[in-house]
Amino acid sequence: MLLNVEKARKVFGGLVAVNDVTFQVPEKTIISVIGPNGAGKTTFFNMITGIYQPTSGVINFDGKSLIGLRPDEVTTKGIARTFQNIRLFGAMTTLENVLVGRHSRAKTSYLDAILHNSTYKADERAGLLRAKELLEFVGLLDKRDELAANLPYGEQRRLEIARALATNPKLILLDEPTAGMNPQETEATKHLIRRLRDDQGITVVLIEHDMRVVMTISDNVTVLDYGTKIAEGLPHEVRNNPQVIEAYLGRGAAAGEFGKTAEGGEAA
Amino acid sequence: MSAELFFGLLPITVVDGLSIGLMYAMIALGYTMVYGVLEFINFAHSEIFMVGAVVGVELLVNLLVPTGLHPLFQLVIAIVVAAAVAGALAVAIERVAYRPLRVRNAPKLVPLISAIGMSLLLIDVMRLILNPANPNRPFPTAGSYDFFSQQLDLGFVAINFKTITVFVVVMLMLAGLVYLVNYTNLGRAIRAVAQDQSTSSLMGINVSNIIVLTFFIGGALGGVAGVLYALKYGVASPVMGFIPGLKAFTAAVLGGIGSIPGAVVGGLILGLLETLAGTYLPLMTQDQIGTEYKDIVAFGLLIAILIFKPAGLLGKAVAEKV
Amino acid sequence: MKHTASLPDRSMLLIASTIISGIIAYVMILQKNNIESYFVTPVVMFFCFNLYFASAWNVSRVAKIVAFVGVLFIGIPMIGFTNSLYLQVAVTICIFAAMSLGLNVVVGFAGLLDLGYAAFFAVGAYLWAIFGGTQANEFIAGNLFPLNGNLVFIFIPIALFVAAGVGALLGLPVLKVKGDYLAIITLGLGEVIRVLANNLNKPINITNGSQGVRIAPNPETSPLAFITVPLSEATGIPFFQMQLTMYYVLVLLVVLAVVIFTSRLDNSRIGRAWVAMREDEVAAQAMGIPLVRTKLIAFATGASFAGAMGVLYAAVIGFINPNDFNFERSTQILAMVVLGGLGSIPGVIFGAAIVVSLNQLVLVEISRVIGLLNLPPRFDPTQYQQLIYGVILISMMIVRPKGLIPAKRNPAKLENLEHGELAKGVK
């Protein structure tokens, strides 16, 4: 298992946001985490990435515990993420956003930067080459010198992915990668996520509301409701699980396909 | 230092410390209320305090003393006017220097710098008005004002009427504030805006008005504190705001910024600690460590709080939404 | 800005103008006994225009360098031989420009508001004033002091590290908490340093209290005396004037070094991390940027520049007292940074030049006129510097928050792979 979460729990005041969730991610898979609004999905991501510390439980990545690590340390261990409400560095160019992602992999020290020595030059060169590769990968190479704030919405989401990839992750957490996209963009993003696994060998965990995306690209789906894991399994198993349908539609509405109801995306 | 001297000084030091602490608390309320609503340190607040003090003293000296009324009555009038002027000034500053920045959603650094600028500007404008060659304005002491220097002997400690006045006025103001914030519609609106501006505005609260009101109340409390400070220390001057402002902010952080009871608790603790330090450090070190070091004690306390309990004594830790 | 490409090339005009101003200055030196002092002002302004043209016109790199070197390294020192006031102002501008560049790293690059910057300046200044003068004899036996003036060059790096250390020590607890608090903590630090400077004359007299510390001027032991004394003898220019010129060249070189340092930091992964952090701390941290360490680097960098400049300040001015390092000093440097443009290296230098010239030339002049007109002394503008800083801070934030010369980021480009130093050494 690349990521192994056991009985992770997060309590805010009296509210149990994540309730003893056990969650496992094998290498080179695409796992979706779904659930109604306020189910604790983003809190769960924040716990893995070190923004919140779990109240109790175990989080192991690559065999090592992530408990007590700061977000930047988690990133250095090999977990990258994107954000539900896009958080790019708007005043920097597309290329620079990706270069910032390289921060933890670059070796330039304070002194190297001042002296402009060979370490600095090699580092900058390597960074630029890698950034070029990544921008090509997400199809933003020709937008490289534009300010991130000026990119259209769909491209900003892809830039966030490229920026996350620049940290050289083994595992990438995508928080609603297709939110607010039109069908063509959604389709392209789906393709991109598959290529993350197939071409780059990266394991992907995503929070997603668009069930057509979830059902077609996931190897496995985990369902959260009120902070508790209520189902887990192959996409078609989860789709037909009565408990899941109930969580989405309420009691007594178990018939029909729930996928269409959840397109709106989660309010920020 | 003998035990006799040590304990002999203790009661008056404590009383003094508490009265200073109460004044810090009054100033701290201005910082903490604005911070609660806007998450912004109003650096100009220490100068609003100063303006209140100068207005109060000038009013007493030029208009009220000649009337021959009882000094307490004069003081009340001066306090009311100083509070009104200081409150109005706070609102004006908000309009001129902060609101334009808030409206265009400027980065956090921008209003902070503007506030610093406002603070500097007010100091020098006041120096210009008062004449920089002689900017100090002594609090009246002659004639009937002798009253404030008289001592009330409680047996274990003799307190002068200056200190008693400070206690009484601050208590009344605090009671009024607690009533306003906790038991009136306006108070509820203030608390709602402090929690969540956008939801409050959806609930029909005019957020802009509440912000103005918060500045007014904070400013008025600062103005009252200014007059009391001038009474206690006998002088008002353009540069008097800097140190009490810094201390009051420390008190606000100590108690938990954004928390009204926190500001009071923080003020009292800080006032007490620094007065004890200011009295006993020179005594215990044969004057090798002077009274001025009490400022370092206050500042050390601020750092210690930020290290060990950044949310303050009564504050709640809040995690940023991601 | 992008239209400059279509403007005519004025390189030759700029070079000509620089040479003409140089010739005028040279004539002035030759005729110095026949020339009234107010004649100097237009020449200085001519120099300043050349600097402005060099930055604003569309000129070649060579012409730019000719103008800057010509004016800064030749023109201004020449003026200094006839009228030392302008040279003194130029020295002060350089000292403050270097400090503003340091504060710019903290406030402009990293977005951290530091209101006690003068404290680090004080650390450096006291370090040299105490050991470079006789003050250290008060608490170190053996009558070893004053030290040889040339040791100032050892004290500069010492102050650099001491100030950085003080900054780091203080920054560490503070930078962990919310950014707003940093402003107030640094404000407190400024106050603490002032209290210490004022009171550390007992039990042991370290700082000489409120009277301040003086370094007695001494041609034998002053910094760079081994160059200044023979030069002064050879040219017949009085020693102290020669010394001032030496100091000017020295601080100018320091400014140049600081410009190179800070712009290189800005264009490295450290500079990008600062911008990222300023834009969005959560996202920056998720990209693997350790927030506290990255902020601390900015804070300590700024502090170290101030410390180093403190040493030079003490050496040049020869007298310091606690009031040189009060809150007003910190806000003065902040006003320079804000006026010129947060994060803008040329802007910050420009801001320092404006504020210093305003204080030392314009206000003094107005004050003289007020004296001549017999107006009441309370309207003397030299006593209202805080008012000026306040107006600068507020009006810039409201009207032009990016400053007079807004920061132009020089973003990394893929084209850098083919040209410039990154392309070198590639097979």
Side-chain angles (χ1 to χ4, degrees), chain A residues 71-72 75 87 89-92 95-96 99 103 106 108 110 113-116 120 124-125 128 144-145 163, chain C residues 264 267 269 272-273 276 279-280 283 285-290 297 301 409 411-415 417 421-422 426:
Chain A
D72 52 287
T75 305
R87 300 187 87 135
F89 308 118
M92 299 175 105
L95 179 69
E96 282 189 302
L99 288 175
H103 188 90
T108 305
Y110 190 83
I114 289 175
L115 297 177
H116 269 203
Y120 165 82
E124 286 290 302
R125 232 189 117 71
L128 286 173
R144 62 182 180 267
D145 293 332
R163 187 181 68 171
Chain C
R264 284 187 170 185
N267 290 321
R269 78 172 181 135
R272 285 191 293 265
E279 290 275 301
D280 187 334
Q285 201 176 19
M287 290 306 112
I289 296 170
I297 289 174
T301 302
R409 271 193 62 69
K413 292 247 167 83
L414 284 184
E415 287 71 19
L417 288 171
E421 53 177 25
L422 289 189
V426 181

Side-chain angles (χ1 to χ4, degrees), chain B residues 15 18-20 22-23 26 72 75-76 79 147-148 152 154 159-177 221 224-225 228 231-232 268:
Chain B
V15 169
L18 289 177
S19 70
I20 292 165
L22 283 175
M23 288 189 287
M26 292 263 282
L72 263 184
L75 186 71
V76 170
I79 283 178
F147 165 77
F148 287 113
L152 183 69
L154 298 177
I159 311 175
N160 61 25
F161 278 90
K162 284 180 193 172
T163 310
I164 295 175
T165 312
V166 170
F167 271 99
V168 173
V169 174
V170 176
M171 288 303 177
L172 286 175
M173 299 296 293
L174 288 181
L177 183 71
L221 290 171
V224 175
L228 295 176
L231 166 72
K232 174 122 181 117
L268 287 175

Side-chain angles (χ1 to χ4, degrees), chain C residues 338-367:
Chain C
V338 168
L339 179 67
L342 288 165
S344 157
I345 291 174
V348 165
I349 297 172
F350 187 52
I354 292 183
V355 172
V356 171
S357 344
L358 195 69
N359 277 341
Q360 301 203 345
L361 300 173
V362 181
L363 291 189
V364 173
E365 206 53 31
I366 297 176
S367 155

